[in-house]
């Protein structure tokens, strides 16, 4: 710059200097202003950093996984609360907890960790590394560490990161390795597929993810659209969730949907996803698990639960679950119906304590609990319980105790079967067996007793027949009457035991009932009214009229005895019922078909339940001494059973008793039996008596001799057979005892008839189990005479047989 004069130059220079000073001053002012602003901004930045750091620490403490920061010496700079929890330190250890990285990384892992950290510092990529980490108590656990170095000016100042406890994953991998044996290296396989989605395209997929879909990794990453892999019906849901994740409307996401594999198979997947950034743009990253097997197992479990629920709801036996003190927790409909309730809810509501309200005997409840306490399980425990209507049920309980981990009894569960009908059947069977046993005994003694009674009757009859002294006749008549009563007693025993067979013919029952009523009316105490309710219809049964008459008499006499003090109404009814297995009235002892039902009902004192199972026992009676033998009902039972029928009894104390007699109906025309007058005809001819016992043979010989017959006795079947062989025409009639040793009377008769086919043979017997009179006639045996033998029966039978054979 040039000036024309010095002053001008000076002025100009001064002006320029002033201008420069002013400019510099302005620059300094501006610089000072900028510096002041910068200091303010720095303070704001520091405050923002402090707030940000606090926010970071607060957020880090909320994270469900450890977050940590250590300096270059390994000293702890920051640890969130989850770090303390994972490594076994409590919140009280917050200040004195993990001070150095060596507290959580065992010595054997430090070299590996240092090597990985050095690689990260150099910028090398290190995949998620697995380490064995240590807790405060010295125990270790496997984990994956995600670590990044803190580098400033090229120097590592420390490192920060997080760890994931993979103990459960390790266990799962071990199970997979042991069970499947397919994987050579667990490091190559992951239990979950990892993916990253951006712009609806899978930008990243790990090997497991590719495996789930049936593709290679290269076929998926950057190529496959998400829509291609998702079931069309589920794609709208997945697309909307992706949008919400990318827009930040929702946080992490966990849900299920269906996917397509490469082969077109539909499978079920479960995803956990979160928002991330990939190449500067929002993306969704997550894990995908193939849960198809789990879903199938759940569906199978649901089906199984439904099946067992169906079984539970429809089981015929009752099923229950209860607390030890008896409160019902769960019952099925069958149990509710068993106790008379409309629904399980009604039963649970009304029976608040099973032990106190339902058990008939509390001792049984205590015994059941004691057995369960000792054995944990009990089967077939029988007891009685009470229904809603007060009726008692016999039940069988199968139960077991469910215990808590500590061994305490949590609850009881099991099944309850209504065995009332079975118990009744067992009681009935026991009654039958008891009667069969007594019947066997009765049949055993009948033979000997009849022989003794026969001698008394025979000699008494002979004495009466031969004596001319009319003064002695009444005494002999009393003896014969006593003998007849004794004979009737034996017949009752044999009838009860079914040892005495009677010829059955079609019999009309209505006339028998009318005859019985006429007979008993004269002997009934005053105050007892007899009523008949005989419905018209078929009333013919195959029976012995005398025995049916005896049944009616015994039942009516018992009914009258029950009302002898208070009076009442004796009702005899006649009806019909058809027995079939599906009917409520069905009696298992009876064959299916039509039955005549005779009902004898009284309004007397009734039968106590304590003796109900004994009333048909022989010699059991509630009458005073001398008022009865105790054979009345047992005879009824025996006669009815012998006729193919059954007896059913119903009674309540104070409300009388009802006896129902069922007899099979027949289509045959019924007749009414008539008694023939008693006569003692004499005769002639030679009779062979065969009996292994001398007393009965001797008395019969005396009786026959008094009637005009010639008599020969043989005390052995073999001797009698030899006598006939020696002279086949010598005898006009053979009178043989059916029950003899060596050769029975029946076999003896058959052998004799081979020698002389038209020989008249009569058998005497106490009872017949194996042969009826019709069967005997087919074999050639002319007649049976039941012991004890009276003079009248003997005379009439022998006279009839001799006339039939032409030998008389």
């Amino acid at each position: 710059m040039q000036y024309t004069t010095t002053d001008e130059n000076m002025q100009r220079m001064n002006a320029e200097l002033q201008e420069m000073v002013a400019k510099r001053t302005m620059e300094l002012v501006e610089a000072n202003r900028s510096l002041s602003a910068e200091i303010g901004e720095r303070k704001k930045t520091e405050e923002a950093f402090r707030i940000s750091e606090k926010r970071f620490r607060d957020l880090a403490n909320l994270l469900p996984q450890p977050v940590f920061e250590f300096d270059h010496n390994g000293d702890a700079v920051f640890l969130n609360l989850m770090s303390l929890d994972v490594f076994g330190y409590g919140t009280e250890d917050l200040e004195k907890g993990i001070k150095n990285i060596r507290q959580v990384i065992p010595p054997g892992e430090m070299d590996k960790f240092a090597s990985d950290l050095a690689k990260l510092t150099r910028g090398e990529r290190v995949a998620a590394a697995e380490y064995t980490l240590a807790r405060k108590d010295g125990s270790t656990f496997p984990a994956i560490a995600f670590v990044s170095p803190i580098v400033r000016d090229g120097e590592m100042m420390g490192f920060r990161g997080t760890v994931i406890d993979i103990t459960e994953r390790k266990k799962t991998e071990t199970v997979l390795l042991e069970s499947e044996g397919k994987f050579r290296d667990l490091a190559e396989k992951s239990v979950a597929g990892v993916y990253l989605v951006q712009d609806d395209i899978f930008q990243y997929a790990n090997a497991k993810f590719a495996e789930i879909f049936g593709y290679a990794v290269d076929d998926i990453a950057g190529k496959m659209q998400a829509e291609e892999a998702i079931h069309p019906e589920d794609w709208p849901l997945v697309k909307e969730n992706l949008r919400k994740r990318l827009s930040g409307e929702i946080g992490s996401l966990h849900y299920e949907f269906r996917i397509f594999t490469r082969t077109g198979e539909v499978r079920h997947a479960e995803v956990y996803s979160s928002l991330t950034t990939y190449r500067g743009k929002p993306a969704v990253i997550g894990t995908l698990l193939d849960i198809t097997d789990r879903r199938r197992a759940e569906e199978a479990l649901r089906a199984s639960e439904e099946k067992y629920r169906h079984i539970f709801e429809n089981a015929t036996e009752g099923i229950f679950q209860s607390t030890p003190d008896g409160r019902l927790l769960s019952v099925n409909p069958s149990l509710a119906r068993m106790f008379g309730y409309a629904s399980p809810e009604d039963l649970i509501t009304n029976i608040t304590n099973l032990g106190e309200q339902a058990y008939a005997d509390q001792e049984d409840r205590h015994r059941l609990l004691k057995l369960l306490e000792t054995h944990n399980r009990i089967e077939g425990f029988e007891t009685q319980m009470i229904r809603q209507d007060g009726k008692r049920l016999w039940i069988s309980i199968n139960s077991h105790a469910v215990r808590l981990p500590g061994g305490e009894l949590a609850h009881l569960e099991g099944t309850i079967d209504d065995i009332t009908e079975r118990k009744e059947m067992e009681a009935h069977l026991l009654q039958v067996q008891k009667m069969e046993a007594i019947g066997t005994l009765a049949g055993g003694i009948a033979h000997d007793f009849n022989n003794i009674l026969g001698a008394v009757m025979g000699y008494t009859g002979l004495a009466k027949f031969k004596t001319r002294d009319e003064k002695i006749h009444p005494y002999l008549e009393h003896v014969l009457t006593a003998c007849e009563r004794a004979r009737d007693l034996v017949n009752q025993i044999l009838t009860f035991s079914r040892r005495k067979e009677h010829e059955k013919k079609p019999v009309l029952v209505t006339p028998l009932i009318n005859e019985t009523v006429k007979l008993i009316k004269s002997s009934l105490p005053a105050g007892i009214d007899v009523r008949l309710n005989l419905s018209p219809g078929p009333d013919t049964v195959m029976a012995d009229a005398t025995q049916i008459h005896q049944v009616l008499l015994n039942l009516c006499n018992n009914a009258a005895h029950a009302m002898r003090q208070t009076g009442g109404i004796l009702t005899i009814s006649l009806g019909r019922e058809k027995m079939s297995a599906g009917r409520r009235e069905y009696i298992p002892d009876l064959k299916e078909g039509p039955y005549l039902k005779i009902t004898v009902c009284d309004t007397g004192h009734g039968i106590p339940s304590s003796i109900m199972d004994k009333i048909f026992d022989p010699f059991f009676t509630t009458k005073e001494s001398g008022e009865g033998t105790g054979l009345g009902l047992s005879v009824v039972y025996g006669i009815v059973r012998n006729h193919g029928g059954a007896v059913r009894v119903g009674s309540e104390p104070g409300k009388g008793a009802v006896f129902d007699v069922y007899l099979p109906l027949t289509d045959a025309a019924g007749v009414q039996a008539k008694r023939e007058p008693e006569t003692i005809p004499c005769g002639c001819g030679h009779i062979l008596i065969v009996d292994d016992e001398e007393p009965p043979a001797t008395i019969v010989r005396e009786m026959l001799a008094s009637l005009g017959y010639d008599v020969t006795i043989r005390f052995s079947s073999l001797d009698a057979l030899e006598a006939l062989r020696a002279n086949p025409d010598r005898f006009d009639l053979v009178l043989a005892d059916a029950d003899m040793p060596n050769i029975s009377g029946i076999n003896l008769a058959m052998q004799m008839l081979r020698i002389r086919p038209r020989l008249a043979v009569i058998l005497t017997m106490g009872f017949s189990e194996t042969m009826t009179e019709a069967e005997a006639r087919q074999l050639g045996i002319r007649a049976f005479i039941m012991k004890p033998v009276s003079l009248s029966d003997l005379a009439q039978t022998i006279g009839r047989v001799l006339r039939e054979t032409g030998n008389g």
Side-chain angles (χ1 to χ4, degrees):
M1 182 179 297
Q2 296 179 355
Y3 298 95
T4 55
T5 66
T6 302
D7 292 335
E8 292 177 348
N9 290 336
M10 288 295 292
Q11 290 176 353
R12 291 177 180 173
M13 289 178 63
N14 186 40
E16 290 177 358
L17 181 60
Q18 289 178 356
E19 183 180 355
M20 288 177 63
V21 170
K23 184 177 181 180
R24 185 60 178 168
T25 300
M26 291 299 295
E27 289 177 352
L28 289 174
V29 171
E30 185 64 31
N32 185 52
R33 185 182 297 115
S34 298
L35 181 59
S36 297
E38 182 178 348
I39 292 172
E41 287 298 324
R42 183 180 300 171
K43 289 182 178 180
K44 290 181 181 179
T45 300
E46 290 175 352
E47 177 63 20
F49 178 76
R50 186 185 64 78
I51 294 172
S52 176
E53 183 179 12
K54 182 178 184 304
R55 184 183 297 115
F56 161 73
R57 289 177 178 271
D58 291 343
L59 289 174
N61 282 328
L62 294 175
L63 290 177
Q65 62 190 53
V67 175
F68 56 81
E69 182 177 333
F70 291 88
D71 62 16
H72 66 283
N73 292 321
D75 293 329
V77 176
F78 171 76
L79 292 161
N80 71 342
L81 294 177
M82 184 55 68
S83 297
L84 298 174
D85 184 62
V86 168
F87 288 102
Y89 294 85
T91 54
E92 68 276 6
D93 297 320
L94 187 60
E95 299 299 330
K96 57 180 180 178
I98 303 173
K99 296 299 184 180
N100 191 277
I101 191 66
R102 295 183 181 277
Q103 290 177 244
V104 296
I105 299 182
E109 296 282 278
M110 281 304 299
D111 290 343
K112 177 183 177 184
F113 178 74
S115 175
D116 289 341
L117 190 60
K119 291 179 182 178
L120 289 170
T121 304
R122 294 193 300 269
E124 298 179 17
R125 182 178 180 276
V126 176
E130 291 186 16
Y131 299 96
T132 298
L133 302 180
R135 298 186 182 92
K136 178 182 179 181
D137 60 6
S139 62
T140 61
F141 65 94
I144 294 178
F146 297 89
V147 180
S148 61
I150 302 173
V151 180
R152 293 177 186 169
D153 299 329
E155 181 180 356
M156 188 185 76
M157 305 302 295
F159 55 90
R160 63 173 64 94
T162 183
V163 296
I164 299 175
D165 184 347
I166 60 170
T167 302
E168 292 302 320
R169 197 190 82 177
K170 282 292 186 181
K171 290 179 180 178
T172 302
E173 290 174 349
T174 301
V175 171
L176 287 174
L177 180 63
E178 293 174 354
S179 61
E180 298 179 12
K182 296 179 180 180
F183 303 102
R184 294 187 302 269
D185 186 359
L186 286 175
E188 297 177 0
K189 304 294 180 181
S190 173
V191 293
V194 181
Y195 67 91
L196 184 144
V197 173
Q198 189 180 68
D199 298 329
D200 291 342
I201 295 177
F202 290 112
Q203 301 296 339
Y204 168 79
N206 69 347
K208 184 61 179 180
F209 186 90
E211 177 190 332
I212 291 172
F213 285 89
Y215 292 92
V217 172
D218 293 340
D219 295 332
I220 296 177
K223 299 176 182 178
M224 179 181 287
Q225 292 188 352
E227 185 177 2
E228 296 178 37
I230 311 300
H231 193 283
E233 294 179 4
D234 295 345
W235 170 243
L237 170 66
V238 176
K239 184 177 181 180
E240 179 65 11
N241 285 337
L242 286 172
R243 184 193 66 76
K244 290 179 179 179
R245 289 298 296 111
L246 291 171
S247 66
E249 293 181 35
I250 55 177
S252 60
L253 211 58
H254 170 215
Y255 63 106
E256 299 177 10
F257 54 81
R258 289 167 293 177
I259 61 174
F260 275 131
T261 66
R262 185 173 186 174
T263 60
E265 180 185 3
V266 177
R267 298 186 72 81
H268 293 269
E270 179 182 56
V271 296
Y272 295 83
S273 64
S274 59
L275 183 65
T276 188
T277 300
Y278 178 68
R279 295 179 180 176
K281 294 174 59 179
V284 174
I285 189 170
T287 59
L288 182 143
L289 293 173
D290 183 349
I291 61 169
T292 305
D293 292 340
R294 189 182 80 189
R295 286 294 297 272
R296 288 173 180 169
E298 290 172 352
E299 291 172 2
L301 180 60
R302 280 194 296 270
S304 177
E305 289 176 349
E306 180 63 27
K307 178 178 72 175
Y308 286 106
R309 170 58 58 180
H310 181 78
I311 293 173
F312 179 81
E313 296 289 344
N314 295 280
T316 55
E317 68 271 18
I319 303 174
F320 74 94
Q321 187 181 70
S322 74
T323 61
D325 60 3
R327 182 170 56 86
L328 290 171
L329 301 174
S330 176
V331 299
N332 70 335
S334 288
L335 190 64
R337 289 192 297 269
M338 190 183 301
F339 282 90
Y341 292 92
S343 67
E345 292 74 22
D346 288 343
L347 176 59
I348 293 174
T349 301
N350 287 279
I351 303 295
T352 56
N353 189 304
L354 190 68
E356 294 179 1
Q357 295 176 256
Y359 276 81
D361 187 345
Q362 291 299 313
E363 289 300 319
D364 282 353
R365 169 69 175 172
H366 299 321
R367 188 158 54 92
L368 173 65
L369 290 176
K370 187 174 181 180
L371 288 171
L372 285 171
E373 185 69 28
T374 304
H375 304 290
N376 280 330
R377 177 179 292 274
I378 189 169
E379 295 181 358
F381 184 89
E382 297 182 1
T383 185
Q384 281 188 302
M385 284 190 170
I386 304 172
R387 280 171 46 95
Q388 181 189 28
D389 56 10
K391 179 182 177 183
R392 290 195 175 198
L393 299 175
W394 271 106
I395 62 159
S396 175
I397 302 177
N398 297 322
S399 180
H400 69 273
V402 179
R403 298 186 179 276
L404 298 173
E408 298 88 355
L409 185 60
H411 62 265
L412 308 177
E413 59 187 25
T415 62
I416 295 179
D417 289 328
D418 183 353
I419 59 170
T420 305
E421 184 176 349
R422 192 195 82 192
K423 278 291 187 180
E424 291 173 353
M425 294 277 294
E426 288 176 352
H428 179 70
L429 178 60
L430 182 62
Q431 181 76 4
V432 170
Q433 291 173 339
K434 183 164 52 177
M435 290 187 174
E436 290 290 347
I438 297 176
T440 301
L441 176 63
I445 67 173
H447 179 78
D448 293 336
F449 187 78
N450 278 338
N451 285 339
I452 298 170
L453 187 60
V456 177
M457 286 185 69
Y459 284 119
T460 304
L462 279 174
K464 180 183 176 184
F465 183 72
K466 290 184 176 183
T467 185
R468 299 297 182 181
D469 188 352
E470 296 294 334
K471 295 180 180 179
I472 300 177
H473 277 197
Y475 301 113
L476 298 176
E477 192 66 40
H478 283 306
V479 175
L480 288 175
T481 300
C483 289
E484 288 175 358
R485 289 182 63 186
R487 180 182 61 186
D488 291 342
L489 182 61
V490 173
N491 285 336
Q492 286 188 354
I493 295 174
L494 292 174
T495 298
F496 147 74
S497 65
R498 298 182 65 186
R499 299 283 181 150
K500 182 174 177 61
E501 297 293 337
H502 292 260
E503 185 177 359
K504 298 181 181 68
K505 299 176 181 179
V507 175
L508 296 172
V509 176
T510 300
L512 284 176
I513 295 176
N514 290 325
E515 183 181 332
T516 302
V517 171
K518 289 179 183 179
L519 185 62
I520 67 172
K521 272 189 174 181
S522 60
S523 62
L524 288 177
I528 296 180
D529 182 20
V530 179
R531 298 179 184 179
L532 294 179
N533 182 18
L534 309 180
S535 62
D539 66 340
T540 304
V541 297
M542 292 297 294
D544 179 273
T546 303
Q547 288 192 320
I548 301 303
H549 189 266
Q550 188 176 7
V551 167
L552 293 168
L553 278 175
N554 285 353
L555 291 178
C556 290
N557 285 333
N558 273 5
H561 186 271
M563 299 183 289
R564 70 190 186 281
Q565 295 179 346
T566 60
I569 300 173
L570 170 60
T571 305
I572 304 175
S573 304
L574 192 65
R576 290 109 197 132
E577 283 192 11
K578 187 173 184 180
M579 289 293 168
S580 60
R583 287 174 56 86
R584 180 177 59 84
E585 299 85 358
Y586 177 65
I587 301 175
D589 280 355
L590 299 183
K591 296 180 180 179
E592 295 191 0
Y595 283 80
L596 187 69
K597 179 182 177 183
I598 306 169
T599 301
V600 178
C601 175
D602 68 72
T603 58
H605 51 64
I607 304 172
S609 58
S610 59
I611 66 169
M612 183 65 79
D613 60 343
K614 301 177 182 177
I615 61 174
F616 291 113
D617 289 359
F619 310 112
F620 175 81
T621 180
T622 58
K623 299 177 181 178
E624 297 293 333
S625 177
E627 292 186 353
T629 62
L631 286 171
L633 288 180
S634 62
V635 168
V636 169
Y637 177 88
I639 291 174
V640 173
R641 281 198 63 204
N642 195 31
H643 283 75
V647 183
R648 176 179 281 174
V649 186
S651 179
E652 291 185 32
K655 296 184 179 180
V658 179
F659 284 82
D660 292 323
V661 175
Y662 295 86
L663 296 172
L665 280 167
T666 180
D667 295 332
V671 295
Q672 195 168 355
K674 295 182 180 180
R675 297 184 181 182
E676 296 182 1
E678 183 176 302
T679 59
I680 303 177
C682 295
C684 61
H686 194 172
I687 297 176
L688 172 63
I689 297 176
V690 187
D691 199 319
D692 61 316
E693 296 187 29
E694 183 176 353
T698 302
I699 184 58
V700 171
R701 180 184 62 186
E702 294 292 332
M703 295 166 68
L704 292 176
S706 67
L707 294 174
Y709 295 101
D710 295 327
V711 181
T712 299
I713 297 179
R714 291 290 183 269
F715 296 108
S716 163
S717 298
L718 296 175
D719 291 345
L721 199 58
E722 289 301 320
L724 185 67
R725 284 198 183 102
N727 189 352
D729 297 325
R730 178 183 176 187
F731 304 108
D732 297 304
L733 184 143
V734 175
L735 184 65
D737 184 14
D739 186 16
M740 291 187 295
N742 298 323
I743 301 176
S744 68
I746 295 174
N747 288 331
L748 175 64
M750 294 174 65
Q751 294 188 40
M752 284 183 167
L753 289 170
R754 291 193 191 102
I755 298 172
R756 183 180 166 186
R758 291 187 58 79
L759 178 65
V761 180
I762 297 175
L763 294 182
T764 61
M765 60 180 60
F767 59 89
S768 173
E769 285 186 322
T770 59
M771 184 173 294
T772 65
E773 188 170 348
E775 292 171 336
R777 282 186 172 275
Q778 289 181 351
L779 296 175
I781 300 171
R782 298 294 176 173
F784 286 147
I785 298 179
M786 304 305 296
K787 293 182 178 181
V789 180
S790 69
L791 183 60
S792 175
D793 289 342
L794 186 63
Q796 290 184 31
T797 303
I798 289 178
R800 176 176 57 81
V801 170
L802 288 175
R803 287 193 301 273
E804 289 176 356
T805 58
N807 296 323

